[in-house]
Amino acid sequence: MELLTEYLAKGFVTMLTISLPCVLVAAGVGLVVGILQAVTQVQEQTIAAAPKIVSVFLTIIVLGMLYISLLTDYFREGTNLAFNVITRSANYVLPEDYYFHSKPFASEMQDTIKGKSGEIDTIMKHPGKIPWSENQFKDKYTPRSKGADPRPNFIETNKMLGR
């Protein structure tokens, strides 16, 4: 687990390494343009935005190959971890007979159609008529609890639209 945490930390460092020069250049250009605007008393916001965009664009062009190499190294290390390190580690891989001794999803995977094979044949021949459907299992109208989202739920919407 600490291996994956270390890899996540390296991802954050890579993200900061890529974004920090752009943010610093934008802040520096913004400071210089702000001082010039204060001196000249020209308070136009578009004047401040254009030099920032151009300077960040030039920063990305100048440092682009460094960014590509950082991201490529990070991707290679991630694929190496995923396909070579974690798959060969006994801590991360389940034993091959894991599902032989335990059935983790047994209750969810049971067949929901109960009945004899004759009923299943009837269902297959008449797909629109469901013989085991009872009124107690159908959707009932229950008012939605009042909370932060006052929109009606699916059943209320169908009731309002008359479906």
Side-chain angles (χ1 to χ4, degrees), residues 88-102:
R88 288 184 174 80
S89 175
N91 296 333
Y92 296 106
V93 179
L94 294 174
E96 60 187 38
D97 61 345
Y98 175 75
Y99 290 111
F100 181 74
H101 299 292
S102 66

Side-chain angles (χ1 to χ4, degrees), residues 80-143:
N80 182 35
L81 281 173
F83 296 116
N84 295 331
V85 176
I86 294 176
T87 56
R88 288 184 174 80
S89 175
N91 296 333
Y92 296 106
V93 179
L94 294 174
E96 60 187 38
D97 61 345
Y98 175 75
Y99 290 111
F100 181 74
H101 299 292
S102 66
K103 306 269 186 219
F105 302 107
S107 62
E108 289 90 356
M109 297 177 72
Q110 290 179 353
D111 192 8
T112 57
I113 299 177
K114 294 179 174 64
K116 300 174 183 149
S117 63
E119 289 181 5
I120 294 174
D121 291 338
T122 306
I123 293 168
M124 296 302 285
K125 290 177 184 173
H126 308 286
K129 298 177 182 176
I130 305 173
W132 68 85
S133 175
E134 299 176 12
N135 287 335
Q136 65 185 9
F137 297 117
K138 289 185 178 178
D139 290 336
K140 295 194 185 305
Y141 174 75
T142 54

Side-chain angles (χ1 to χ4, degrees), residues 17-18 21 62-72:
T17 305
I18 290 173
V62 170
L63 298 175
M65 292 308 292
L66 173 68
Y67 295 162
I68 290 173
S69 67
L70 285 171
L71 289 173
T72 305

Side-chain angles (χ1 to χ4, degrees), residues 25-40:
V25 165
V29 169
L31 180 67
V32 170
V33 170
I35 291 171
L36 288 175
Q37 281 183 329
V39 168
T40 60

Side-chain angles (χ1 to χ4, degrees), residues 140-157 160:
K140 295 194 185 305
Y141 174 75
T142 54
R144 185 175 183 180
S145 62
K146 302 299 178 202
D149 188 13
R151 293 180 297 178
N153 63 12
F154 180 72
I155 296 173
E156 289 174 341
T157 303
M160 285 187 277

